[in-house]
Amino acid sequence: MLIGKTEVSTGQYGEFITNFLRLSVDTSSSYVCVVNVHMVMEAYGDESFCAIVNNAEITTPDGMPIAKSMKILYGIEQDRVAGMDIMPDLMKECEKSRKSIFLYGSTDEVLDKIVARAGKEYPNLKIDRYSPPFRVLSLPEKDEIVSMINEKKPDFVFVALGCPKQEKWMAEHKDRVQSCMIGLGGAFEVYAGFVPRAPRWMQEYSLEWFYRLVNDPKRLWKRYLVTNTNFIVMLIKQIIELKVLKKQ
């Protein structure tokens, strides 16, 4: 379903997990975008980035505003399929089916914490990781990273470079990285314990963004206040076009 200019996949949460696992088997190289308001608005103002998101094999409705928008626009009762839920649940399923994961992005400190926690919760899960330099990489360096990942033969590559960088990275490496790549961004820091997650009741009432804003106002105020306002304006325009003017 179209939210702004972004195609968002539909289905129950469990169906998405099943489809991720199917992608890792049925395709040699693929990528998944976990879509929130920030990504929708980035895509709305950038046609090339919009094409990257819409070319993903799966685009999940990450935030409650996206899931609720699907109800408002199309009458669909859509589950939220958030990166912070996908990450541990897919780890659990990978351990059961003996699939492996490669963590790409973030910092060594965060990756160490993820591996340590996963080692306790999913002791039989094979995880490799790499934190790339925080600078523009040369072509030889990019090739070396691709070779390193492919040598490990991971079923999934969890990518945390931040939006829109991680989505651009996945699109660039489609058909080069032989795995199913999933852009999980901030889910790395949440799973590692560096960033607290909002209480369940706040998640259910679409207030997780507010919880994060209060905890990190300096970094997030513009994204959540300015970007969310622009999203509401865009959504109202789409409602008018879809329900009043009857545009498809």
Side-chain angles (χ1 to χ4, degrees):
M1 295 296 173
L2 200 65
I3 305 295
K5 298 178 181 178
T6 303
E7 291 286 350
V8 183
S9 305
T10 61
Q12 296 180 344
Y13 179 83
E15 293 174 334
F16 277 89
I17 298 297
T18 298
N19 288 334
F20 298 152
L21 294 169
R22 186 176 295 121
L23 266 183
S24 72
V25 174
D26 294 345
T27 61
S28 60
S29 182
S30 58
Y31 69 93
V32 172
C33 292
V34 179
V35 178
N36 57 18
V37 168
H38 178 212
M39 191 179 299
V40 166
M41 296 313 298
E42 287 281 344
Y44 193 74
D46 184 337
E47 290 187 7
S48 62
F49 180 65
C50 185
I52 285 173
V53 177
N54 289 344
N55 284 334
E57 277 70 18
I58 298 173
T59 51
T60 85
D62 174 69
M64 283 302 290
I66 303 300
K68 296 294 186 183
S69 294
M70 297 174 86
K71 169 68 173 177
I72 294 169
L73 291 169
Y74 306 108
I76 296 173
E77 294 287 352
Q78 177 57 50
D79 289 346
R80 180 187 183 191
V81 186
M84 288 177 280
D85 297 316
I86 292 170
M87 186 168 177
D89 288 346
L90 204 47
M91 284 180 170
K92 181 179 179 179
E93 293 301 321
C94 283
E95 183 189 38
K96 286 181 181 179
S97 54
R98 297 187 178 183
K99 293 181 177 292
S100 62
I101 293 170
F102 194 103
L103 306 175
Y104 181 79
S106 195
T107 65
D108 284 319
E109 185 180 14
V110 170
L111 297 183
D112 287 344
K113 291 287 187 180
I114 292 174
V115 172
R117 177 178 172 183
K120 296 176 182 177
E121 296 180 343
Y122 316 109
N124 297 316
L125 176 63
K126 183 179 183 297
I127 300 181
D128 294 290
R129 73 290 181 72
Y130 179 69
S131 175
F134 286 85
R135 57 174 171 78
V136 177
L137 302 178
S138 66
L139 287 177
E141 286 176 317
K142 290 182 179 181
D143 291 340
E144 185 177 346
I145 288 172
V146 170
S147 296
M148 174 185 61
I149 294 174
N150 288 338
E151 283 175 5
K152 297 296 183 179
K153 297 181 179 179
D155 295 283
F156 291 96
V157 177
F158 291 174
V159 185
L161 300 173
C163 175
K165 186 177 179 180
Q166 66 194 15
E167 288 73 32
K168 292 179 179 179
W169 186 90
M170 292 189 297
E172 179 186 350
H173 290 80
K174 173 76 179 292
D175 296 326
R176 296 195 68 206
V177 170
Q178 302 302 301
S179 182
C180 175
M181 298 170 278
I182 306 180
L184 291 173
F188 274 40
E189 291 186 337
V190 172
Y191 187 81
F194 286 95
V195 175
R197 190 169 187 189
R200 177 63 63 178
W201 70 268
M202 295 190 79
Q203 297 176 38
E204 293 175 352
Y205 282 92
S206 304
L207 291 173
E208 189 160 15
W209 68 272
F210 182 73
Y211 181 86
R212 296 185 68 188
L213 174 62
V214 170
N215 281 275
D216 193 1
K218 184 178 292 186
R219 185 173 68 89
L220 296 176
W221 75 268
K222 184 176 181 180
R223 176 188 298 184
Y224 286 134
L225 296 184
V226 177
T227 304
N228 283 14
T229 299
N230 291 338
F231 176 79
I232 292 170
V233 172
M234 181 211 72
L235 184 62
I236 291 172
K237 179 181 177 182
Q238 189 172 357
I239 291 170
I240 294 171
E241 291 178 346
L242 188 64
K243 297 195 174 185
V244 179
L245 302 180
K246 306 298 182 180
K247 289 184 179 181
Q248 297 298 320

